[in-house]
Amino acid sequence: MERKENYAIAVKTIKTAILQGQYAAAKGTNRIQLATYFAIGKYISLNSRHGFWGKGAIETISEQLRRELPGLRGYSPSNMKNMRLFYEKWRTLGVNSPIAIGELQSEDYQIDIYSALNVDNVVDFPVDVFFSVPFTHHIRILEKTQTQEERYYYMHRCVMENLSVDSLLKIIKQDDFLHKSLLPNNFINTISNPATARKAVMMFKDEYLLDFINVEEIGERDAADIDEKVVEKEIIHNVKNFIMTFGRDFAFIGNQYHLEVYGHDHFPDLLFFNRELNAMVMVDLKKGEFKPSYLGQLAAYLRILDDKVRKPHENQTIGLILCKSADKEYVEYIIQDYNKPMGVATYTTENDMPEKLRNALPPVEELKKLL
């Protein structure tokens, strides 16, 4: 009997929080919803983890809530467990909540949805980003990552690129966090605005899979025969795929973009504009292994683009060398003396995939028919 009474108290308490949160959210934003879920998750965690509720409690409470609030969404047993996960992974944000110091069963059936989630005193916490990420995205990030730095990275990506849940899961599966941290670059030292520098670091990866480039299809006998002109041609042919590989908010300006200064002509391979960075991004394609001379050529292109092409309201141009291979430590050592923002990434094509894996995939034409 006591357990049923506890469940009745829990239903009434959570129901009050739901109605209070719904009223506030009608006037507010995602912030109120997250705060409500956090507070309810804390209540569920402290009751279920400490033995106050029995087995099947969350299912019973969820069912009763839906009876008392017809049409209620978001409070299925699985989602209520997600709220518990949300609290437990971010519990350091709620250490000052009354529930956290033992007031599990409130006499007035109140869960404090306004102060349970306290982010004011957390050092270097991305408050605006945190409250801009939808709850489902938060849960997927918490399920798939292990460290605080990973969480921050994927939260920023969600906000910067307005990612769907499927897109978020894709970049997590690709381990974009690991790849971004490995990109040899000098962005922090050359981009004056720290926020823009951090965005640039998060924007680019150390390796790109250009799986829309198939050497056999474009008439090359061997993968070793492919050169940057062939890669450029295929990228232009598949520019939408290339931009999707790089990320959102890129717009294609042109290839072999003509630059002229003091009677000398230059033709950078690929030129884009990124809305998030408010800057042009120049990509220089190279056939083989990274060479230090590539950075000098890139610096010259960036200087001319900034002087002759960049608009007054735009940030300085960012350069990226895309080559087949690079010794990252060597690149980091060489790149530090350049005063233009640049990075070095590598790329692989479909033909670089292991033979066993390629043989396991259907032929390209068959895939195209399926798509």
Side-chain angles (χ1 to χ4, degrees):
M1 188 67 181
E2 183 181 347
R3 184 163 288 172
K4 288 184 178 179
E5 290 176 358
N6 284 342
Y7 291 175
I9 292 172
V11 168
K12 190 168 184 179
T13 305
I14 295 174
K15 178 181 172 182
T16 302
I18 292 171
L19 294 174
Q20 189 179 20
Q22 287 178 339
Y23 174 74
K27 304 182 297 179
T29 61
N30 190 52
R31 186 184 188 110
I32 294 296
Q33 185 186 58
L34 291 181
T36 302
Y37 287 168
F38 183 87
I40 292 175
K42 181 179 292 185
Y43 181 82
I44 294 171
S45 176
L46 293 173
N47 278 284
S48 62
R49 299 299 193 197
H50 294 281
F52 292 98
W53 295 346
K55 187 177 180 181
I58 294 175
E59 287 75 9
T60 301
I61 293 168
S62 172
E63 184 179 348
Q64 186 61 32
L65 281 170
R66 283 181 284 180
R67 283 200 194 106
E68 296 191 18
L69 295 171
L72 178 67
R73 293 186 176 184
Y75 287 85
S76 65
S78 61
N79 217 38
M80 290 177 71
K81 290 175 183 177
N82 284 340
M83 294 175 203
R84 181 174 63 184
L85 173 69
F86 186 54
Y87 159 68
E88 290 175 349
K89 292 293 188 179
W90 290 112
R91 69 172 74 234
T92 54
L93 303 180
V95 292
N96 296 323
S97 169
I99 296 176
I101 58 175
E103 296 181 16
L104 299 177
Q105 299 290 3
S106 173
E107 292 182 2
D108 57 0
Y109 309 112
Q110 289 292 316
I111 292 175
D112 188 354
I113 67 171
Y114 294 105
S115 60
L117 181 53
N118 182 7
V119 297
D120 295 333
N121 299 318
V122 183
V123 178
D124 293 330
F125 184 74
V127 178
D128 292 338
V129 170
F130 180 86
F131 285 116
S132 297
V133 176
F135 180 67
T136 303
H137 292 65
H138 270 294
I139 295 302
R140 298 297 169 260
I141 291 170
L142 294 174
E143 289 173 339
K144 302 293 184 181
T145 60
Q146 301 297 322
T147 67
Q148 205 87 312
E149 290 75 15
E150 286 179 278
R151 295 181 198 173
Y152 289 172
Y153 172 77
Y154 289 115
M155 288 193 306
H156 275 285
R157 288 287 299 271
C158 285
V159 175
M160 287 169 56
E161 302 175 33
N162 193 27
L163 294 176
S164 66
V165 173
D166 287 343
S167 297
L168 169 64
L169 290 174
K170 181 179 179 181
I171 66 170
I172 293 176
K173 186 176 181 180
Q174 293 173 174
D175 206 355
D176 278 18
F177 171 76
L178 175 63
H179 285 303
K180 73 89 189 171
S181 62
L182 295 177
L183 173 74
N185 69 84
N186 62 359
F187 298 151
I188 297 299
N189 296 327
T190 57
I191 299 177
S192 57
N193 185 310
T196 303
R198 285 194 296 272
K199 287 179 182 179
V201 169
M202 289 190 292
M203 186 74 67
F204 303 102
K205 299 189 292 184
D206 70 320
E207 183 176 272
Y208 293 93
L209 173 60
L210 307 184
D211 54 359
F212 51 84
I213 297 178
N214 187 316
V215 174
E216 294 169 3
E217 278 198 329
I218 55 183
E220 297 288 341
R221 293 184 178 180
D222 191 290
D225 293 335
I226 193 168
D227 63 20
E228 51 261 37
K229 295 299 180 186
V230 174
V231 175
E232 180 186 330
K233 179 181 176 182
E234 287 301 296
I235 288 175
I236 300 307
H237 207 57
N238 298 273
V239 70
K240 182 178 178 181
N241 289 335
F242 185 74
I243 290 175
M244 291 299 288
T245 301
F246 257 51
R248 293 178 183 249
D249 279 338
F250 280 91
F252 181 55
I253 297 177
N255 68 300
Q256 295 299 310
Y257 193 89
H258 182 213
L259 301 175
E260 188 274 330
V261 61
Y262 293 110
H264 294 270
D265 295 313
H266 300 271
F267 299 91
D269 291 333
L270 300 165
L271 188 61
F272 299 88
F273 186 83
N274 183 267
R275 293 173 59 208
E276 181 67 28
L277 298 173
N278 188 32
M280 289 183 289
V281 176
M282 200 224 90
V283 179
D284 202 20
L285 299 165
K286 298 299 178 184
K287 174 183 177 180
E289 187 177 5
F290 167 80
K291 296 178 182 177
S293 58
Y294 296 160
L295 294 177
Q297 183 184 49
L298 182 61
Y301 288 156
L302 296 178
R303 175 62 183 269
I304 300 169
L305 284 165
D306 280 341
D307 288 351
K308 304 294 184 180
V309 182
R310 179 169 62 122
K311 306 291 184 185
H313 65 278
E314 294 174 0
N315 294 322
Q316 59 193 129
T317 309
I318 294 172
L320 190 72
I321 291 172
L322 203 54
C323 51
K324 285 293 292 178
S325 62
D327 181 331
K328 294 183 175 65
E329 291 183 355
Y330 179 56
V331 175
E332 289 279 10
Y333 176 75
I334 297 295
I335 206 171
Q336 61 187 323
D337 283 337
Y338 286 86
N339 60 9
K340 292 291 184 181
M342 55 179 71
V344 177
T346 59
Y347 68 89
T348 57
T349 67
E350 179 183 308
N351 298 79
D352 297 314
M353 296 167 64
E355 186 176 355
K356 285 185 178 179
L357 180 58
R358 278 195 286 138
N359 291 339
L361 294 173
V364 173
E365 289 304 318
E366 188 176 326
L367 281 173
K368 287 179 178 178
K369 290 177 183 178
L370 290 171
L371 293 171

